[in-house]
Amino acid sequence: MKKAFLMMLMALFAIGTKAQNVSDFYTQNTVLNYSDGDKAAGEIPQPTQFDPNFHIYLCFGQSNMEGNAKIEPQDRKGISTRFRMMAAVDMPNTGRKKGQWYAAVPPLCRAWTGLTPADYFGRTMVENLPDSIKVGVINVSVGGCSIDLFDEDKTEGVIAKSADWFKGFCKDYDNQPFRRLMELAKQAQKVGVIKGILLHQGCTDNGQQDWPRRVKLVYDRMLKELGLNAADVPLLVGELMTKEDGGCCYAHNAVIAGIQSTIPTAHVIPSLGCPGAKDKLHFTAEGYRILGRRYANKMLALLRGVRTAETTIDGAEYPVVDNEGHAYFRVKAPHVWRLQVDICGKKYDMDRDRDGVWTVKTDPLPVGFHYYFLLVDGLSVVDPNTTTYFGCSRLAGGIEIPEGKEGDYYRPQQGVAKGQVRSCQYYAKSTSQWRRAMVYTPAEYEQGNKKKYPVLYLQHGMGEDETGWSTQGKMQNILDNLIAQKKCVPMIVVMESGDVRAGFSPRKGHNVEAERSLYGASFQKVLFNDLIPYVESTFRCYTDRSHRAMAGLSWGGKQTFDATLQHLDMFSYIGTFSGALFGVDLKTCYNGVFTDAKKFNNQVKYLFLGCGSEENFGTKKMCDGLKEMGINAHFYMSQGTAHEWLTWRRCLNEFLPNIFKK
């Protein structure tokens, strides 16, 4: 038994109860170091039973996957026993036997091959996966080969016309490299799960436009023989040395870039910035390390369900989100000293690479929509990669952390007719200014009928504008889906700025409460004197109180109460979502409107108060107080949400089916 293995066994006995046997010892995240003289090269006990937490990756291709760079001392240190390799051939120089598992000490391909992307692929995988997960690689690669070598219908012919040195490589695999890979993969499936396939090849086939089709033949045959589904086993394809890095076969990268159109489950691993060797074909050891990490980062993203956020602008890769709610941001800013992401009340420091690219991964974020900013040396700016929204009294970045199926009510659905949200400019005499309102009309509005529709006036909150409900709030999708399901009546929805785009800021020397009562109060004049008349003269809508409703979120909820409860002759339906209704005396407010419950209930057909369970706005207490006074008030609580758009989407979804009922 080799010296390194004896030392590990001694360590096993030293840790006592931490490991009950040798196999247990090797499931821990034990880190081993090897020198060139350690011929045991990672000897471990062989797995004997199936383990779903043993993730296996098949690696194939030509010299860059085979490993061309010299293995340096750092590459044989700090190797976790959770990262393993199955020997694809006998390796006399290390004592390895074909078909046996070993700790993944390089070389990973054949006896005298060098460092490969698979080395740092596996290292990075185990560093970022739970300790219960082990990672194994099987590398069958042949320097100088065409992809046709792995097409069994062409293998014999490829070898026959090749040079002797090439035939020597193939002989190690009994002249059947594809068959060797399949035999070992089937053996590996008895103890683990194949999770992906790594390919690096193309120099020999440089620029050949049918290369993706030929790769697909090999990939499809692998999947069929091993009983795998493409959706579960992606193909990761690495680029060759780029033109920018001096590569002589860079033209093939244009072919690789289009492989996803032939293989939808293929993903391209970029090589830009990976240092290349002097021959302009291969990478240096550092180049393989970087490339291997990139393979791993893509695979980790796929395992975690990482995908581009729906709020990311078209053509940008970042921000992205994963299934656990983490957000990942990346910004190129080489001349910045410090860069942070400010989101959900926390500032995250970003890390900079040598090219000035900054990245960060957040803690798991709550589902729903969140504003965020970049802090560039302390200056708050919008991420150039995100769609911009008006929020926080300014243009802001935003990111959507997706819900599961429960969020389909606010997503556009196939087969559901789409209404329109139009931007309408109108003149308000009461304020002597041109103003804008966003107006939703249901899909059937444009169908040439003369039908009239009820109208909901829907207000946003402090620091937002008339676009909030149709962008952050997705109100049009909510309405389209409810109308299609016949859960609510088709209606027109009008959204106006409400004069609360700038956040509340009392004038110096003035009473704060008096100032608060003035904040957004100018909207009442506009609403009654200008907006309602404009809507009713422009759109086909009813003009009586029975077909008029108003609702609002946060400060818009206060504006709703201020407008409707003092003008019950104008509105029959009222809703507040996290309404900013503080210090309200229900017995005296709005000229005692709640003191005559019978009269109120006859006038108001539906009164709705909603909030999030994580808020502390006193909404439920107010609703309970109203009920005690005999008011027909309806309360809704959004579970697990705070003062945020997800709360208000849910409130709107609950409110709409209950208005304009006959």
Side-chain angles (χ1 to χ4, degrees), residues 140-210:
V140 174
S141 299
V142 180
C145 77
S146 164
I147 192 63
D148 295 338
L149 179 68
F150 291 91
D151 181 346
E152 285 195 302
D153 295 333
K154 299 178 180 179
T155 300
E156 186 176 348
V158 170
I159 296 174
K161 61 182 181 181
S162 298
D164 289 343
W165 60 265
F166 183 86
K167 291 178 180 177
F169 291 169
C170 295
K171 188 175 181 181
D172 285 344
Y173 301 116
D174 295 330
N175 293 322
Q176 294 181 319
F178 179 85
R179 185 53 38 206
R180 175 68 56 85
L181 184 58
M182 291 300 95
E183 289 172 357
L184 297 178
K186 290 175 184 178
Q187 180 179 329
Q189 283 181 305
K190 297 177 182 179
V191 294
V193 181
I194 295 175
K195 288 286 188 175
I197 300 172
L198 280 59
L199 168 65
H200 199 287
Q201 193 275 331
C203 290
T204 300
D205 299 325
N206 183 29
Q208 296 177 15
Q209 297 301 308
D210 66 341

Side-chain angles (χ1 to χ4, degrees), residues 198-493:
L198 280 59
L199 168 65
H200 199 287
Q201 193 275 331
C203 290
T204 300
D205 299 325
N206 183 29
Q208 296 177 15
Q209 297 301 308
D210 66 341
W211 182 82
R213 177 189 60 79
R214 289 147 60 198
V215 172
K216 187 176 188 299
L217 289 173
V218 177
Y219 176 58
D220 286 349
R221 183 171 290 182
M222 287 182 180
L223 297 177
K224 184 176 181 180
E225 284 215 22
L226 299 174
L228 302 172
N229 294 316
D232 301 324
V233 186
L235 176 68
L236 308 188
V237 185
E239 287 185 335
L240 310 185
M241 276 186 64
T242 65
K243 181 179 181 180
E244 294 83 350
D245 293 316
C248 62
C249 293
Y250 66 85
H252 195 65
N253 287 339
V255 179
I256 294 174
I259 195 168
Q260 199 165 28
S261 62
T262 303
I263 305 174
T265 52
H267 302 271
V268 176
I269 310 303
S271 67
L272 181 64
C274 296
K278 292 181 180 180
D279 63 10
K280 301 182 180 181
L281 291 169
H282 303 102
F283 299 95
T284 64
E286 180 60 17
Y288 287 123
R289 294 179 196 117
I290 295 172
L291 192 60
R293 294 186 188 105
R294 291 179 181 177
Y295 272 97
N297 288 334
K298 171 54 71 174
M299 193 66 221
L300 288 166
L302 294 172
L303 289 174
R304 292 168 176 159
V306 173
R307 56 209 178 277
T308 303
E310 64 178 75
T311 42
T312 301
I313 63 172
D314 291 343
E317 292 184 54
Y318 286 77
V320 300
V321 297
D322 67 23
N323 287 340
E324 297 172 348
H326 300 97
Y328 304 75
F329 299 92
R330 185 174 70 181
V331 179
K332 187 168 185 178
H335 304 299
V336 170
W337 288 101
R338 188 183 188 193
L339 197 57
Q340 296 173 293
V341 172
D342 184 0
I343 186 169
C344 292
K346 183 174 179 177
K347 296 179 177 65
Y348 295 86
D349 288 316
M350 302 183 76
D351 295 320
R352 183 189 189 279
D353 69 10
R354 67 176 186 175
D355 297 317
V357 176
W358 299 76
T359 56
V360 73
K361 171 186 173 184
T362 70
D363 299 333
L365 302 175
V367 294
F369 177 88
H370 307 290
Y371 298 116
Y372 78 93
F373 300 93
L374 298 180
L375 297 179
V376 182
D377 294 336
L379 177 66
S380 180
V381 301
V382 178
D383 183 351
N385 296 311
T386 182
T387 303
T388 54
Y389 305 84
F390 192 87
C392 308
S393 298
R394 57 174 288 190
L395 288 178
I399 189 168
E400 186 82 26
I401 306 299
E403 286 192 281
K405 290 286 291 181
E406 68 273 17
D408 283 351
Y409 72 91
Y410 58 76
R411 299 182 180 118
Q413 302 295 322
Q414 289 188 351
V416 171
K418 298 300 298 173
Q420 293 185 10
V421 177
R422 64 193 80 190
S423 175
C424 300
Q425 194 175 31
Y426 72 101
Y427 187 76
K429 292 181 180 179
S430 58
T431 57
S432 301
Q433 65 180 165
W434 286 97
R435 300 174 67 105
R436 181 175 71 163
M438 308 302 292
V439 180
Y440 165 88
T441 53
E444 65 179 53
Y445 186 88
E446 309 296 333
Q447 294 177 356
N449 59 59
K450 296 182 179 180
K451 179 179 176 180
K452 291 184 177 181
Y453 295 86
V455 182
L456 165 64
Y457 293 84
L458 185 62
Q459 291 306 115
H460 57 84
M462 182 189 300
E464 292 161 335
D465 72 2
E466 61 273 17
T467 64
W469 268 111
S470 57
T471 51
Q472 297 96 297
K474 303 184 181 293
M475 56 75 51
Q476 69 274 29
N477 296 336
I478 296 173
L479 256 168
D480 290 338
N481 294 334
L482 287 172
I483 292 170
Q485 297 166 20
K486 301 188 183 303
K487 291 183 178 180
C488 80
V489 301
M491 66 186 76
I492 293 170
V493 181

Side-chain angles (χ1 to χ4, degrees), residues 9 11 48 93 117 280 324 358 396 464 571 574 598 620 660:
L9 286 179
T48 58
N93 63 325
K280 301 182 180 181
E324 297 172 348
W358 299 76
E464 292 161 335
F571 298 93
I574 303 170
K598 183 177 180 181
K620 186 177 188 306
F660 306 130

